Amino acid sequence: MKNNKHLSIINAPFNVDYSNGDIKGKNVLNISNKLKDLPNVFENEAAFLKLNGETIVYDVQAVLPVKEGVEDGLFYGKTTIHPGKVGAEYFMTKGHFQQKKTKAEFYWGIQGEGILILMDKDRNTWAEKMFPGSLHYINGGIAHRTVNTGTIPLSFGACWPSDAGHNYQDIIDNGFSFCLMEIHGKPQLIASNK
Ligand code: PA5
């Protein structure tokens, strides 16, 4: 052999358990969102107040290899929404627009079943079924919220630009135009009263 110099081959810095999407590795961010962290999110305030505020609604893991706001990076995340309801409304995420409306995002289903609710700036709403293997492209400027309509945790992956940002305020102020309720045992989108 002419040149016996070699480079070392290192382990992957992160690994993903594809049965539930769990991410393992250094500096993986873990955030739990409890019912008490989601005031004014669900339609039925009386039903919300009867539940234990310490109940975890969803857990988020994220790999943030660069600083938030940096233009040329990507973030990777996994969300797990636990099964449950507030009145007839399924457990779901807060939902948000991207801070930068030109930035898109991918979601993909890993475990469980659910629905991705999408809403444009004019409050037109549509929804896509989520299941293991489903793939969802969320264009910039489209608000997105995920809902667990099943009896086991709904886990899904996400990948988004590091400068997309999360704008929660529009949803805090105006909500989504439709919410997802269980009616006669089936998920149905109905106009929000908020
Ligand atoms: O970046 C994303 O879109 C996801 O990682 C979400 O932040 C995650 O699903 C939690 O939802 P929300 O940010 O609306 O609470």
Side-chain angles (χ1 to χ4, degrees):
M1 217 196 293
K2 234 178 172 184
N3 181 354
N4 61 2
K5 272 191 187 167
H6 61 269
L7 290 173
S8 55
I9 299 170
I10 62 165
N11 253 336
F14 303 99
N15 58 75
V16 174
D17 177 346
Y18 278 103
S19 66
N20 57 15
D22 277 0
I23 310 166
K24 289 204 174 62
K26 217 174 150 193
N27 299 328
V28 175
L29 189 76
N30 287 282
I31 300 170
S32 288
N33 292 273
K34 299 178 176 179
L35 272 172
K36 68 177 185 191
D37 305 319
L38 306 170
N40 305 315
V41 168
F42 295 94
E43 298 279 316
N44 186 336
E45 184 67 8
F48 176 79
L49 292 173
K50 278 190 196 144
L51 296 172
N52 180 353
E54 294 299 324
T55 306
I56 296 177
V57 178
Y58 62 102
D59 299 300
V60 179
Q61 288 193 298
V63 176
L64 313 174
V66 295
K67 234 179 139 199
E68 178 135 42
V70 163
E71 270 184 16
D72 50 5
L74 284 174
F75 291 158
Y76 177 95
K78 188 269 304 187
T79 302
T80 298
I81 309 176
H82 299 282
K85 287 201 285 283
V86 177
E89 193 174 17
Y90 301 97
F91 277 9
M92 60 186 180
T93 58
K94 284 183 260 186
H96 60 273
F97 286 94
Q98 316 288 54
Q99 197 77 48
K100 273 197 190 165
K101 300 218 180 311
T102 51
K103 301 292 170 176
E105 178 164 10
F106 270 118
Y107 276 6
W108 57 96
I110 297 172
Q111 179 193 37
E113 59 185 75
I115 291 182
L116 168 63
I117 303 178
L118 299 156
M119 182 179 76
D120 69 17
K121 65 175 179 17
D122 299 320
R123 303 184 61 73
N124 298 306
T125 296
W126 64 104
E128 297 177 2
K129 286 186 182 170
M130 299 185 90
F131 50 87
S134 66
L135 182 65
H136 311 270
Y137 178 73
I138 304 165
N139 218 340
I142 302 297
H144 40 291
R145 161 178 279 166
T146 42
V147 185
N148 184 350
T149 55
T151 52
I152 63 166
L154 168 73
S155 297
F156 62 93
C159 186
W160 68 102
S162 47
D163 60 343
H166 293 71
N167 167 7
Y168 292 103
Q169 200 57 48
D170 282 2
I171 301 301
I172 290 171
D173 293 343
N174 305 309
F176 276 70
S177 50
F178 281 79
C179 59
L180 203 63
M181 300 279 186
E182 185 177 88
I183 297 171
H184 303 309
K186 284 199 174 140
Q188 286 187 29
L189 276 173
I190 62 165
S192 168
N193 283 321
K194 284 189 163 285

